[in-house]
Amino acid sequence: MAWALSPFVRTGPGKLAWVDPYGDTLFNEQEAQAALPEAAELIERCTDASQKAALQDLAALLERCAATPGSYLWFMGD
C-alpha cells in the first residue's frame, strides 16, 4: 500500500500522510472518514491500473471502518 500512497508527503496535511510505510499506523472510524476524500482524490489522479486498484481497495476499507462505530483500520508497515 505504501507505493499507492507515495504521492503524500509524510509531513503533509491530511490523514493518509500519517501512514508510515515502515511502521504500523492505526486509524479509528473518525480518521477513516476524514481520509475518504483523500483516497477519492488519489483515485481520480491515478494513471497506473494496479495502483488505482490498490487505492480502490483502500477506499473500500476506509468506508467500512468509517461506517462501523468503534472500529479501527490497521496499516502494517514493512
Side-chain angles (χ1 to χ4, degrees):
M1 183 59 58
W3 57 271
L5 295 176
S6 61
F8 281 98
V9 179
R10 295 249 322 126
T11 58
K15 298 296 182 187
L16 292 179
W18 293 8
V19 177
D20 184 353
Y22 305 106
D24 296 345
T25 306
L26 191 64
F27 281 9
N28 63 26
E29 72 268 18
Q30 292 91 7
E31 292 165 329
Q33 180 67 42
L36 275 170
E38 299 171 38
E41 178 186 338
L42 277 178
I43 291 168
E44 288 298 315
R45 295 187 319 189
C46 189
T47 58
D48 179 86
S50 61
Q51 187 178 27
K52 189 170 194 167
L55 291 168
Q56 290 169 332
D57 289 345
L58 172 61
L61 291 170
L62 289 168
E63 287 175 4
R64 189 173 303 151
C65 181
T68 309
S71 66
Y72 293 91
L73 182 57
W74 189 358
F75 298 88
M76 298 175 70
D78 289 341

